[in-house]
């Protein structure tokens, strides 16, 4: 059955923290001192809707930070005109069409790739709905019907007791692994990591994210200390583009080194793999080319015996897409289940069930999510 595309629409959604809290907590908006990033003022995403001439609709998500209206504009102005009238079932061909169209002006990252990602997810959702099957069945799965997850993050809280309290609350909620944000200096980092590790006492695995805060020597020194605490995951100790440095850290520290949430497509991950710089990479399906490109990344990683753990920042749509992908991909051992306040993730669609430390994969057609359209309208700030 040919699924002729009638329209492609992008909707920018914003949930500012100021609308969630009377007094916005400092830990939500203040990055580590080493960061040179825009302040995080809320939760954002770009919703993508693709409709066929027969009235079938697929939904996707393009990464929304720091400004979802940019990605929405790219979709509405550049990509939608390429797609109308074409067969939505030919997702591989459409991916190459969109990717090739930007060959002369930079195409391997940035907002343009995020826009492609949102369209790709909507196309997979559409194909699944047309077939009456969840996407993981179209991908050849399931290899698992639930996906182990870790709760993320224990944020930059002022005191070690607050970090401990947050970690134990995740354990009480049923998580078997938690992630602690570090990157505030060795002394502060070790104080929080030590307190949390002692409080967990083996009841849950401790992951840490160094938030690109250190140089190679400092990261190795801190990594050795964290190793003695039983930490099982060392994420982004260096600047994201320091591939050679990351390989040094990996060779020196006996904790799996994790990176890649800021990368886009297979070419960037290829560099990490050739340098033997990572044990686990973290593509975000809403920025890394959607499911189509994530499958290529996972296949490439499998040839190097490297695992893939999708980055978990986004809305309910990106969450569902990551679970569908993980359900059909053998080298996905765990997924990041972000627990920062986010109505775009928790309220826009019914959240998946957490059972024994794992999220149950949606088994409805397509991505398996149904949006609350009233909430979509409530959070809409722009449409293209």
């Amino acid at each position: 059955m040919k699924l002729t595309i009638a329209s492609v629409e992008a909707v920018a959604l914003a949930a500012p923290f100021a609308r969630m809290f009377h007094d916005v907590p400092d830990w939500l908006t203040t990055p580590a001192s080493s960061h040179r990033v825009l302040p995080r003022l809320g939760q954002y995403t770009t919703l993508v809707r693709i409709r066929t001439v027969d009235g079938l609709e697929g939904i996707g998500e393009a990464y929304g930070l720091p400004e979802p209206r940019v990605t929405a504009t790219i979709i509405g102005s550049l990509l939608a005109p390429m797609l109308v009238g074409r067969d939505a079932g030919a997702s591989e061909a459409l991916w190459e069409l969109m990717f090739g169209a930007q060959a002369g002006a930079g195409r391997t990252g940035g907002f343009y790739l995020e826009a492609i990602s949102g369209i790709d997810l909507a196309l997979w959702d559409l194909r699944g709905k047309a077939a009456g099957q969840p996407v993981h069945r179209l991908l050849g799965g399931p290899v698992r019907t639930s996906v182990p997850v870790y709760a993320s993050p224990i944020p930059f809280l002022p005191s070690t007791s607050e970090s401990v309290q947050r970690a134990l609350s995740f354990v009480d909620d049923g998580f078997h692994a938690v992630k602690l944000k570090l990157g505030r200096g060795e002394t502060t980092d070790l104080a929080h990591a030590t307190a949390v590790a002692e409080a967990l006492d083996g009841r849950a695995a401790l992951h840490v994210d160094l938030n690109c805060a250190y140089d190679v020597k400092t990261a190795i020194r801190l990594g050795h200390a964290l190793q003695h605490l039983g930490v099982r995951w060392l994420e982004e100790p260096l600047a994201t583009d320091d591939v050679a440095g990351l390989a040094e850290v990996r060779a020196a520290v006996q904790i799996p080194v994790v990176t890649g949430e800021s990368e886009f497509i297979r070419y960037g991950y290829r560099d990490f793999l050739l340098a033997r710089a990572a044990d686990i990479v973290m593509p975000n399906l809403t920025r890394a080319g959607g499911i189509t490109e994530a499958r290529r990344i996972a296949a490439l990683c499998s040839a190097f015996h490297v695992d893939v753990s999708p980055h978990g920042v986004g809305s309910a749509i990106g969450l569902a897409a990551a679970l569908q992908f993980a359900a059909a991909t053998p080298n996905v051992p765990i997924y990041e289940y972000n627990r920062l306040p986010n109505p775009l993730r928790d309220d826009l669609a019914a959240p998946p069930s957490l059972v024994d430390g794992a999220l149950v994969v949606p088994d409805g057609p397509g991505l398996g999510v149904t949006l609350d359209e009233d909430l979509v309208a409530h959070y809409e700030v722009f449409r293209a």
Side-chain angles (χ1 to χ4, degrees):
M1 178 179 68
K2 187 174 182 180
L3 301 169
T4 303
I5 296 173
S7 65
V8 178
E9 182 180 63
V11 183
L13 304 179
F17 291 139
R19 290 173 60 181
M20 300 183 215
F21 301 94
H22 177 67
D23 292 309
V24 180
D26 288 341
W27 53 263
L28 268 177
T29 59
T30 304
S33 59
S34 61
H35 285 198
R36 296 177 179 86
V37 297
L38 295 173
R40 177 75 168 272
L41 302 178
Q43 302 289 2
Y44 307 94
T45 198
T46 303
L47 168 65
V48 181
R49 299 184 188 269
I50 298 179
R51 297 183 179 91
T52 70
V53 295
D54 298 320
L56 195 62
E57 180 183 82
I59 57 172
E61 176 187 355
Y63 196 79
L65 293 169
E67 177 49 77
R69 286 170 286 201
V70 176
T71 314
T73 299
I74 292 171
I75 292 170
S77 299
L78 298 179
L79 298 179
M82 297 183 204
L83 302 179
V84 172
R86 296 183 181 272
D87 181 6
S91 57
E92 192 83 27
L94 295 181
W95 199 99
E96 294 298 333
L97 172 69
M98 294 184 288
F99 185 63
Q102 192 70 351
R107 59 178 181 169
T108 58
F111 290 109
Y112 188 79
L113 236 299
E114 291 168 354
I116 290 177
S117 305
I119 288 175
D120 184 78
L121 295 182
L123 291 171
W124 278 102
D125 184 51
L126 194 56
R127 289 178 62 190
K129 288 173 178 173
Q133 295 285 340
V135 165
H136 68 259
R137 295 291 297 172
L138 303 187
L139 298 174
V143 296
R144 57 184 67 85
T145 57
S146 62
V147 180
V149 296
Y150 62 91
S152 169
I154 303 165
F156 293 126
L157 295 171
S159 68
T160 58
S161 62
E162 289 171 284
S163 289
V164 166
Q165 183 180 12
R166 184 64 57 90
L168 294 180
S169 72
F170 287 147
V171 175
D172 290 341
D173 288 341
F175 290 97
H176 296 173
V178 301
K179 186 165 80 177
L180 172 67
K181 284 177 72 71
L182 301 179
R184 292 185 281 179
E186 290 179 79
T187 301
T188 300
D189 284 355
L190 279 175
H192 283 259
T194 300
V196 170
E198 291 176 351
L200 290 176
D201 193 26
R203 287 183 289 169
L206 178 57
H207 299 182
V208 300
D209 181 354
L210 301 188
N211 288 275
C212 311
Y214 297 112
D215 59 23
V216 171
K217 291 182 179 179
T218 308
I220 291 173
R221 185 169 59 244
L222 182 57
H224 286 156
L226 293 168
Q227 181 180 312
H228 291 299
L229 295 176
V231 170
R232 301 187 193 178
W233 170 293
L234 188 68
E235 182 177 335
E236 295 202 325
L238 312 178
T240 57
D241 55 1
D242 190 357
V243 179
L246 200 63
E248 289 186 59
V249 174
R250 182 173 180 258
V253 176
Q254 300 303 306
I255 307 174
V257 170
V258 187
T259 192
E261 69 179 58
S262 300
E263 279 300 328
F264 289 86
I265 57 174
R266 74 201 93 122
Y267 307 128
Y269 292 100
R270 174 192 60 193
D271 295 342
F272 287 112
L273 296 171
L274 290 174
R276 299 289 182 181
D279 296 283
I280 302 169
V281 299
M282 297 181 69
N284 188 313
L285 271 65
T286 68
R287 85 181 323 164
I291 287 173
T292 297
E293 183 66 9
R295 296 177 77 193
R296 298 167 179 158
I297 294 167
L300 180 64
C301 286
S302 71
F304 287 81
H305 305 284
V306 168
D307 284 333
V308 175
S309 176
H311 181 229
V313 172
S315 80
I317 304 165
L319 168 59
L323 293 178
Q324 296 290 340
F325 166 74
T329 306
N331 56 327
V332 177
I334 199 165
Y335 169 67
E336 177 180 22
Y337 193 23
N338 190 279
R339 305 313 301 145
L340 290 177
N342 188 354
L344 303 180
R345 180 196 61 231
D346 296 332
D347 302 332
L348 211 58
S353 299
L354 180 69
V355 179
D356 194 26
L359 290 179
V360 177
V361 178
D363 60 1
L367 297 179
V369 293
T370 301
L371 298 182
D372 183 327
E373 296 295 346
D374 290 335
L375 279 180
V376 171
H378 178 70
Y379 291 113
E380 178 181 336
V381 293
F382 179 75
R383 182 180 296 256

